[in-house]
Amino acid sequence: MRPFPQSTTPGSQSQVVFRHPRISDGARIHRIAADSKVLDTNTPYAYVLWCHDFAETSIVADIDGATVGFVTGYLRPDEPGVVMVWQVAVDAAARGAGVAAGLLHSLLDAVAPAGAHTLQTTISPDNEASQRLFASVATDRGMTFSRASLFAASDFTLGDAACDHQPEDLYTLAP
């Protein structure tokens, strides 16, 4: 694995270290996802498995040796030049310090040698913070930023079962 850039968090001497996750990070990123109160939280097993199978397309952020954020992604099988971001989250204590943007920049840098040049993610219409995050990363990197409808709320409903999942729009950051 190649080293990632480090950055100092504003108002602190602490360094943010970006790196690929290890299996031992799975339980911690599960907790960060659950504590976010906005992500669809999967089982701890899913996060441990993700850290095993998709470590090269995922990044964690550490401050003072503690994992404070993560981004999970994968290269799209039908479009290997596209990294699809599944989830990104930062612990409440580390928010506002540029960690989320650093995670996305580190991910784009990590997948570039494999030929990935485009980032995609889905965001619900009410998640303005995520929309701003991805737009700012696109601006910082001189990339285009576009949105298209992808999943309707009804796509998340099985039969008559009620589902409160919002639609998900596809956002693309491209050169």
Side-chain angles (χ1 to χ4, degrees):
M1 286 185 233
R2 62 195 265 287
F4 293 98
Q6 298 180 17
S7 64
T8 304
T9 57
S12 158
Q13 298 294 47
S14 296
Q15 291 286 310
V16 181
V17 177
F18 299 100
R19 61 176 176 80
H20 290 290
R22 299 181 286 265
I23 292 170
S24 60
D25 294 313
R28 176 68 181 136
I29 67 173
H30 170 264
R31 174 58 41 213
I32 293 169
D35 289 349
S36 76
K37 307 288 189 224
V38 296
L39 291 179
D40 291 335
T41 307
N42 298 278
T43 66
Y45 175 79
Y47 292 96
V48 170
L49 185 64
W50 198 278
C51 290
H52 179 267
D53 288 354
F54 298 105
E56 290 298 315
T57 54
S58 300
I59 306 290
V60 295
D62 294 335
I63 296 177
D64 298 331
T67 299
V68 299
F70 71 91
V71 59
T72 51
Y74 61 90
L75 296 178
R76 292 194 49 166
D78 58 336
E79 295 180 80
V82 176
V83 61
M84 180 69 179
V85 169
W86 177 48
Q87 290 185 319
V88 58
V90 176
D91 187 75
R95 290 185 193 140
V99 174
L103 286 162
L104 293 174
H105 285 294
S106 293
L107 176 60
L108 282 163
D109 293 343
V111 298
H117 47 74
T118 299
L119 183 148
Q120 290 185 327
T121 193
T122 62
I123 304 173
S124 59
D126 71 337
N127 191 340
E128 294 176 9
S130 286
Q131 294 165 24
R132 285 191 306 272
L133 168 64
F134 284 88
S136 73
V137 169
T139 298
D140 289 348
R141 295 180 82 91
M143 301 174 87
T144 63
F145 182 66
S146 61
R147 181 193 66 79
S149 295
L150 184 62
F151 300 125
S154 61
D155 291 333
F156 301 101
T157 302
L158 181 61
D160 293 336
C163 181
D164 62 356
H165 202 293
Q166 293 191 10
E168 294 278 339
D169 294 326
L170 180 68
Y171 287 82
T172 302
L173 288 69

